[in-house]
Amino acid sequence: MVNKQNEALQKIKENKLNEAAALYIEYTEEHPEDPIGYVNVGSVLFQSHQLEEAEKFYLEAIQINDQTATAYYGLGNLYYQQKMYDYAEKMFTKCLSLGLDEADVYFLLGMSHQMRNNHILALPFLQTAAEREQQPKYQLQYGLALAHENYYNEARDVFLSIIKTDSTQADALYNLGIIAFHENNKTTAKDYFKKAISAQPSHTLAQQALEQMKYDALEDE
């Protein structure tokens, strides 16, 4: 049993996902009462972009044991990828109720709200994710949610904490520029947009913002 699952994990490391899925399926046939086996199959199929098949295995795991938090997490990821944010929100909420108390669950639940423009609802979940793990993507989305609700001082602090750790985080630099622009600090805004482009020359939004500022300056002459 353990050897077969270890072998499947090794296949995943080698990016042999079809072989890993086959091993996990064998495990479910030998242990049909174990929901985790079905979750493992679903996860490999999800990585292989076989979303419909992955969904079936996650649902099978829940049918065996409706307290299987990782099955709801898998479904949440699947629905999120398909932009079915209302369904994803329900799955991640269920994860938390079952005790899957991890930063990524909070982050994806917050993002499910964020993608539906429910920024105020997203805030506490994104804040928790950002506090649990200091990952730039968590902090960035938390900062964006704050900015959407006009909490500019708080958002600025979040973006500044990102570039303090890594001064090349172009999205954080760009959003610092946006906040400065909203506060009519045009010189500071321009500096941040230039820094964003320096960190990431292909940053289209920063380029557009800088061009717009140049255009506005010409109009004012």
Side-chain angles (χ1 to χ4, degrees):
M1 177 179 69
V2 175
N3 288 340
K4 187 164 291 184
Q5 295 201 64
N6 287 342
E7 189 178 349
L9 286 171
Q10 183 59 40
K11 295 296 183 183
I12 292 171
K13 290 178 182 178
E14 297 170 0
N15 203 33
K16 297 177 180 178
L17 299 181
N18 288 337
E19 293 180 32
L23 287 164
Y24 280 136
I25 288 171
E26 286 180 24
Y27 176 85
T28 63
E29 291 170 349
E30 295 168 3
H31 305 275
E33 76 294 341
D34 184 0
I36 299 303
Y38 294 88
V39 172
N40 288 336
V41 178
S43 297
V44 175
L45 292 172
F46 178 78
Q47 290 180 60
S48 303
H49 307 290
Q50 300 178 56
L51 302 186
E52 287 186 19
E53 290 302 311
E55 182 183 30
K56 291 176 184 177
F57 278 93
Y58 289 136
L59 291 172
E60 184 67 24
I62 292 169
Q63 187 172 359
I64 294 168
N65 183 350
D66 64 4
Q67 302 298 296
T68 309
T70 51
Y72 293 102
Y73 176 77
L75 284 171
N77 270 295
L78 189 151
Y79 295 141
Y80 186 87
Q81 183 166 312
Q82 293 179 303
K83 300 182 179 181
M84 299 166 64
Y85 301 118
D86 51 344
Y87 288 103
E89 175 196 327
K90 292 174 183 176
M91 295 301 105
F92 294 128
T93 299
K94 185 68 174 179
C95 284
L96 292 179
S97 73
L98 292 172
L100 194 60
D101 190 43
E102 297 181 1
D104 199 49
V105 179
Y106 286 99
F107 175 71
L108 288 169
L109 178 52
M111 288 303 299
S112 297
H113 286 300
Q114 187 92 310
M115 298 303 291
R116 298 168 67 200
N117 293 316
N118 295 328
H119 305 294
I120 197 69
L121 294 177
L123 273 173
F125 301 110
L126 295 175
Q127 180 180 11
T128 300
E131 289 173 349
R132 292 281 183 88
E133 292 186 21
Q134 300 298 308
Q135 288 194 31
K137 72 171 184 177
Y138 293 172
Q139 293 175 301
L140 181 67
Q141 292 300 332
Y142 175 44
L144 288 172
L146 286 166
H148 274 296
E149 294 302 312
N150 299 325
Y151 296 126
Y152 292 130
N153 289 336
E154 294 83 352
R156 182 191 296 105
D157 288 343
V158 173
F159 295 134
L160 285 172
S161 72
I162 294 173
I163 64 169
K164 185 177 181 180
T165 303
D166 182 357
S167 62
T168 65
Q169 288 287 339
D171 287 337
L173 291 163
Y174 165 74
N175 282 289
L176 283 166
I178 291 295
I179 292 172
F181 184 82
H182 277 298
E183 295 177 337
N184 207 32
N185 296 326
K186 294 183 179 179
T187 300
T188 301
K190 188 183 296 185
D191 288 342
Y192 276 125
F193 293 144
K194 287 180 178 178
K195 287 178 181 178
I197 294 168
S198 177
Q200 183 183 323
S202 62
H203 201 291
T204 305
L205 291 175
Q207 292 171 355
Q208 291 174 344
L210 203 55
E211 286 300 315
Q212 186 62 47
M213 289 188 73
K214 292 178 182 177
Y215 177 79
D216 292 343
L218 289 173
E219 287 286 295
D220 291 339
E221 290 180 359

